[in-house]
Amino acid sequence: MVDLTTLGDDSIAAKGWIKAHKWLILRRLSQLGILALFLVGPVLGVWIVKGNLASSLTLDILPLTDPHVLLQAVLSGVVPETTAIIGVVLVLLFYFVVGGRVYCSWVCPVNMVTDLASWLRRILGIRTTSQISRNSRYWMLALTLILPLVVSGGIIWELINPVSMMFRGIVFGMGATWVVVLAVFLFDLVVAKEGWCGRLCPVGAFYNLIGSRSLLRVNASNRAECNDCMECFVVCPEPQVIRPALKGGSKGISPVILSSDCTNCGRCIDICAKDVFSYGGRSVSETIRSNPEVVKKQEVHI
Amino acid sequence: MSDTDKKHEMNRRQFLGNMLKTACGVGLVGMGLGIYSNRASSLPAHYLRPPGALPEEDFLGACIRCGLCVRDCPYDMLFLGEVGDDVATGTPYFVARTGPCEMCEDIPCIAACPTNALDHGLTDIEESRMGLAVVVDQETCIAFHGLRCEVCFNVCPIRGKAITLDLQHNVRSGKHALFIPVVHFDACTGCGLCERACILEEAAIKVFPTDLAKGELGKHYRLGWKEKEKAGGALVTPDVEHKYNLPEGVRYDLQGEGLIIEEKPEETPFSSNPLDSLNSSFMDKK
């Protein structure tokens, strides 16, 4: 078992606090920065971005539209305007390259809530969890796409979608949105570990599918250095994605984390005192320089 | 059965069991959502949709709750439904009494809409039907008391067409007129300027969503005079005017007088004017 009281200490000792939290800090800056871009308009009257994550217009020229919500609208029978179609194509292209679930870890405001819940679970030692399958999110995704077809009343998922509700709440006015946010927080804290983002959220599932062939991936190219401290498994929101890449060396499995469940959040990179992980492309070869046995073999070949 | 077969069997059972559990759980969520959506899709009477909004059911399917219409409204009178509001969460609305539609000619809210939830086919704001103004309370509207107000008539942007003044006799004073505001559906856009302008504490003229405000005549109804106008003449054999065969000097009054015998004046050599008699003797002497 990983000692939760000393989680991350090795990394801080090896790299210093800033480097041991580099990607976490950048991620929070990204999440808050995106909110700030939407907020300077209504607060200061300087309009950089209008709208919200469902559809936005940046500097009156760049349209960006959420493909999941537009798909639901189309399924309920609407013909979107050209700007929405351009917006969707741009968003799809972006996430196709950087990985769909970058939306989850770098953009979505709910991530800050569920990360807080995960952190508190570790701090408070809460171990209760219910057995909700990680595949439930795909069923939920199917549900969001079937409902507009069979029930009159349109984009029904948007009536309760915590992701769009929280973002819209912050930008346009909270109302009772905090109740929904609190519900997600408590669900993740007490009911199910990584319950919302990792098991149920259909928005994440949709972006997951978009990014299944994405170019930007985390890799364990330095996996020979791994000292089995297991801390990456503790902080990773989708720990099932790590094992093949980190431990599959003997079976000839690529060190690249290819599962599209990976959110490219970079927590594993931060937490690792041995710098096993790094961002890279889809095909990254293993670093052999620091592995004496491999190096020896290579020398023999030469 | 070998051990590995048993293991596979267990795995398959577990797999199917888990899948069933997930499917049922998600199905339950779906049912709950379906029922909730029915309740959530009814629009309260004082919430009006922006110009060009599709009929409510279609609108809820087309609107992606992005708020771009809200941002592009130059009068900041559009709002997005918040969680807990009586309107579907995240959908745009306005309230006529506090912030009516100012009817911009270029309709920026429609231009901003990325999905046609606000119909881009609507280019003339006067053709929009956001709702219908109704004079809901004739007991408090001061025009019905014979007082001159006509504020709703005067602020109406489709002046003289959407609201007209119907002049009626003031029975109370006996010598004045009532200037009664009357709304006409063929011109009223439901912008709500009249409702905001109404001078009462609580407006006597209110804008309601059209389906609430508008009656509908049975499809089989035909209004005789309109059919006549359309056909350019009577559609049935015209009535023959009734004739009484009465003797000369007698007529029948249909308004209640009944049979009237017109008396002929008796013939006399003397004029009814006494001056004539006097003058006649004077003429004789001459």
Side-chain angles (χ1 to χ4, degrees), chain A residues 50 52 76 78 81 84 155 175-176, chain B residues 61 65 72 82-83 114-116:
Chain A
K50 286 181 197 166
N52 58 40
S76 81
V78 75
E81 284 294 297
I155 308 177
Chain B
R65 286 82 161 151
D72 277 5
E82 293 175 2
V83 180
T115 63
N116 264 316

Side-chain angles (χ1 to χ4, degrees), chain A residues 42 47 50-52 54-55 73 76 78-79 81 84 131 136 139 143 152-155 159-160 168 171-173 175-177, chain B residues 19 21-23 26 30 33 36-37 57 60-68 71-72 80 82-83 89-90 113-116 120:
Chain A
W47 291 100
K50 286 181 197 166
N52 58 40
S55 194
S76 81
V78 75
V79 180
E81 284 294 297
Q131 297 299 313
S136 304
W139 291 85
L143 182 74
S152 66
I155 308 177
L159 290 173
I160 61 154
R168 194 172 50 233
V171 177
F172 283 89
T177 308
Chain B
M19 200 156 98
K21 195 174 78 175
T22 309
V26 172
L33 264 176
Y36 173 63
S37 78
E57 206 169 273
L60 288 176
C63 173
I64 58 171
R65 286 82 161 151
C66 67
L68 283 169
R71 291 294 186 234
D72 277 5
L80 290 187
E82 293 175 2
V83 180
T89 311
C113 179
T115 63
N116 264 316
H120 284 242

Side-chain angles (χ1 to χ4, degrees), chain A residues 11 40 43 53 65 72-73 84-85 93 97 108 115 129 136 158 165 168 218 230-231 233 255-256 283-284 288 292 300:
Chain A
S11 173
V40 287
V43 174
L53 291 185
T65 304
Q72 293 172 72
I85 295 166
L93 280 176
V97 173
C108 179
D115 271 3
T129 188
S136 304
E158 285 305 306
M165 269 184 182
R168 194 172 50 233
V218 174
M230 302 298 277
E231 292 193 349
F233 287 95
V256 179
S283 53
V284 171
I288 45 171
V300 171

Side-chain angles (χ1 to χ4, degrees), chain A residues 168, chain B residues 49 56 59-60 63 65 79-81 87-93:
Chain A
R168 194 172 50 233
Chain B
R49 293 295 185 200
E56 188 62 12
F59 180 80
L60 288 176
C63 173
R65 286 82 161 151
F79 299 94
L80 290 187
V87 62
T89 311
T91 55
Y93 68 92

Side-chain angles (χ1 to χ4, degrees), chain B residues 62-123:
Chain B
C63 173
I64 58 171
R65 286 82 161 151
C66 67
L68 283 169
C69 54
V70 174
R71 291 294 186 234
D72 277 5
C73 172
Y75 295 95
D76 286 336
M77 41 63 75
L78 283 175
F79 299 94
L80 290 187
E82 293 175 2
V83 180
D85 280 351
D86 290 337
V87 62
T89 311
T91 55
Y93 68 92
F94 69 96
V95 176
R97 184 64 164 167
T98 48
C101 174
E102 302 280 349
M103 306 229 317
C104 311
E105 273 181 24
D106 50 348
I107 333 183
C109 48
I110 292 186
C113 179
T115 63
N116 264 316
L118 306 180
D119 185 3
H120 284 242
L122 181 77
T123 49

